[in-house]
Amino acid sequence: MPNAENSSFIFTVCQIGAEKTLKEEVARNHSDLRFSYSRPGFLTFKAVGPQKLTPDFALKSIFARTYGISLGKLDLKNVTEKAKALLENPIQKIRLHIWERDRFGPGEEPKKQERQENPEGVKQFTELKNTLFKTVRNLEPDLFYEETLPKSGDLVLDLIWVEDEEWWLGCHQHGPLHSPYPGGNPEIQMHPDAPSRAYLKLEEALLWSNAPILKDDVAVEIGSAPGGSTFALLNRGLKLVGIDPADMHPIFRRNFREQFKHIQRPVSSVLREELPDSVQWILLDMNVSPQFSLFAVDRLVTRMEDSLLGVLLTIKLNDWKMASDIPHMLEHIRAMGMTRVRATQLSQNRQEFFAYGLTPKGVRRLAICRK
């Protein structure tokens, strides 16, 4: 276990707009934490009682994209001393993550030309981050790795740009509950031919879940139009049936005729006989209530038990208050026959969250893929 820095606080980072939901989630799951401080997308909580928090603290949260113990506002004069105080022995090294809290909601970021035309509105963070990274590393080069992506058990020092001239310092021990990417944002690039930003959501979902999807797998996607996530899967060599009454992008007729079939009707009217005999994956991204969308998935899952490996579901929260029902939603997914279920709010999610489930067959394939 890492040494304990004298901290009674944790920091959390979430999507802008999800702050109240995150506070309520922490209150439900951690009676020993009290809300302390917030800026849009950045919240801190204080531990009640004398016990100090350590970097291996585990936060039970879907909406906290990144978290760790809070070491207060950044002071470059003592950042290396604080970092060394966390180490068990002097030969350890630390990963350095430098990132900014969200400035905009997903899909609401100013376009590149708008950023250039309005430099006062949004600062260019990349140059600032690179300069600070070099500055901190040069304070004590042997203390920090050059690479940022951590391995399990690594200590990560978080330098967080919260406001202009206001930086916060935090730390966490990397493990399964933490994203390896600074700020929990892998910064996936949009494919120039992708029809919609659903491409980014699906790419991040696959990266986060490590779903054992293979070439020539067959998937059924509920709510496929206009085809952002469809495009991502077809590029991986999958065969796919999209169910959506709306039109798909013309690129699928031009480039993916052999791989893709579109059923242009509501999912409630689709018969099992219209779908492939063997289906490995069901995907969902419909702008309807969670009750309706999960029922639609459940209806298909019960007819695909022999071949199904798992589900990848983007579940809309028509009202943020619905977040309190997420535990029941996850139980519903388990009741579909998923033995391993996880959920998170991805950096590309809007008022929604991502749930991932594997059947026993999917768990076995995952074990094989990891060998």
Side-chain angles (χ1 to χ4, degrees), residues 123-137:
K123 289 189 176 182
Q124 297 296 321
F125 180 68
T126 302
E127 291 184 8
L128 187 60
K129 177 181 69 175
N130 292 340
T131 299
L132 187 58
F133 190 92
K134 292 177 182 177
T135 300
V136 174
R137 283 197 74 250

Side-chain angles (χ1 to χ4, degrees), residues 14-184:
C14 68
Q15 177 200 116
I16 288 183
E19 297 88 357
K20 185 172 184 290
T21 301
L22 175 57
K23 285 193 283 187
E24 293 170 349
E25 181 185 44
V26 171
R28 284 195 304 271
N29 296 337
H30 295 273
S31 60
D32 56 342
L33 292 177
R34 296 286 184 271
F35 169 68
S36 176
Y37 169 86
S38 75
R39 298 298 300 150
F42 179 84
L43 298 86
T44 67
F45 298 85
K46 183 178 182 180
V48 178
Q51 184 177 0
K52 300 301 181 182
L53 300 171
T54 55
D56 59 350
F57 172 78
L59 184 70
K60 299 174 183 176
S61 174
I62 288 172
F63 292 93
R65 195 166 71 233
T66 296
Y67 70 91
I69 62 169
S70 174
L71 305 178
K73 293 185 180 180
L74 175 62
D75 181 355
L76 284 177
K77 294 178 181 178
N78 64 11
V79 65
T80 55
E81 284 73 15
K82 282 181 174 288
K84 286 189 286 187
L86 298 161
L87 299 175
E88 289 183 289
N89 61 71
I91 64 171
Q92 281 182 283
K93 283 190 172 185
I94 293 180
R95 304 286 179 180
L96 186 58
H97 281 188
I98 302 178
W99 43 278
E100 62 177 331
R101 68 170 175 85
D102 289 0
R103 302 287 166 173
F104 304 93
E108 298 174 358
E109 302 87 349
K111 295 180 176 157
K112 185 176 181 181
Q113 67 179 57
E114 292 173 346
R115 290 172 66 97
Q116 292 172 341
E117 292 170 1
N118 183 21
E120 297 300 322
V122 181
K123 289 189 176 182
Q124 297 296 321
F125 180 68
T126 302
E127 291 184 8
L128 187 60
K129 177 181 69 175
N130 292 340
T131 299
L132 187 58
F133 190 92
K134 292 177 182 177
T135 300
V136 174
R137 283 197 74 250
N138 288 340
L139 292 174
E140 194 150 351
D142 293 337
L143 182 60
F144 299 102
Y145 289 101
E146 290 188 22
E147 301 80 16
T148 59
L149 292 185
K151 300 176 182 177
S152 182
D154 282 353
L155 282 176
V156 179
L157 198 67
D158 294 283
L159 278 61
I160 312 155
W161 189 23
V162 175
E163 293 284 351
D164 293 349
E165 307 303 324
E166 183 179 324
W167 289 78
W168 285 63
L169 185 66
C171 180
H172 68 268
Q173 183 178 32
H174 183 66
L177 298 180
H178 288 280
S179 168
Y181 302 99

Side-chain angles (χ1 to χ4, degrees), residues 77-315:
K77 294 178 181 178
N78 64 11
V79 65
T80 55
E81 284 73 15
K82 282 181 174 288
K84 286 189 286 187
L86 298 161
L87 299 175
E88 289 183 289
N89 61 71
I91 64 171
Q92 281 182 283
K93 283 190 172 185
I94 293 180
R95 304 286 179 180
L96 186 58
H97 281 188
I98 302 178
W99 43 278
E100 62 177 331
R101 68 170 175 85
D102 289 0
R103 302 287 166 173
F104 304 93
E108 298 174 358
E109 302 87 349
K111 295 180 176 157
K112 185 176 181 181
Q113 67 179 57
E114 292 173 346
R115 290 172 66 97
Q116 292 172 341
E117 292 170 1
N118 183 21
E120 297 300 322
V122 181
K123 289 189 176 182
Q124 297 296 321
F125 180 68
T126 302
E127 291 184 8
L128 187 60
K129 177 181 69 175
N130 292 340
T131 299
L132 187 58
F133 190 92
K134 292 177 182 177
T135 300
V136 174
R137 283 197 74 250
N138 288 340
L139 292 174
E140 194 150 351
D142 293 337
L143 182 60
F144 299 102
Y145 289 101
E146 290 188 22
E147 301 80 16
T148 59
L149 292 185
K151 300 176 182 177
S152 182
D154 282 353
L155 282 176
V156 179
L157 198 67
D158 294 283
L159 278 61
I160 312 155
W161 189 23
V162 175
E163 293 284 351
D164 293 349
E165 307 303 324
E166 183 179 324
W167 289 78
W168 285 63
L169 185 66
C171 180
H172 68 268
Q173 183 178 32
H174 183 66
L177 298 180
H178 288 280
S179 168
Y181 302 99
N185 185 357
E187 297 185 350
I188 297 166
Q189 297 300 311
M190 186 74 170
H191 193 289
D193 296 328
S196 72
R197 65 178 299 277
Y199 171 88
L200 298 174
K201 289 198 289 184
L202 196 278
E203 287 291 329
E204 186 179 3
L206 294 179
L207 191 62
W208 176 83
S209 65
N210 196 29
I213 286 179
L214 300 177
K215 181 181 178 182
D216 293 327
D217 279 352
V218 178
V220 171
E221 184 182 11
I222 305 170
S224 56
S229 53
T230 306
F231 182 83
L233 290 171
L234 295 176
N235 267 354
R236 281 177 160 77
L238 276 73
K239 298 178 176 66
L240 194 140
V241 176
I243 302 173
D244 201 310
D247 292 333
M248 298 294 293
H249 192 277
I251 194 172
F252 299 108
R253 289 194 300 272
R254 294 196 306 265
N255 298 354
F256 298 102
R257 286 188 178 183
E258 300 301 318
Q259 286 178 254
F260 179 68
K261 173 185 175 182
H262 182 201
I263 299 178
Q264 198 166 5
R265 301 201 311 277
V267 63
S268 57
S269 70
V270 176
L271 302 176
R272 176 65 181 92
E273 293 73 22
E274 298 177 82
L275 301 174
D277 293 335
S278 177
V279 174
Q280 283 70 57
W281 303 97
I282 293 179
L283 292 91
L284 169 80
D285 192 352
M286 286 200 303
N287 193 22
V288 297
S289 70
Q291 292 80 3
F292 182 87
S293 60
L294 288 176
F295 175 79
V297 174
D298 203 349
R299 176 174 167 267
L300 295 185
V301 166
T302 56
R303 293 161 174 80
M304 299 173 177
E305 293 177 342
D306 292 341
S307 60
L308 195 65
L309 298 178
V311 295
L312 299 102
L313 313 176
T314 299
I315 300 175

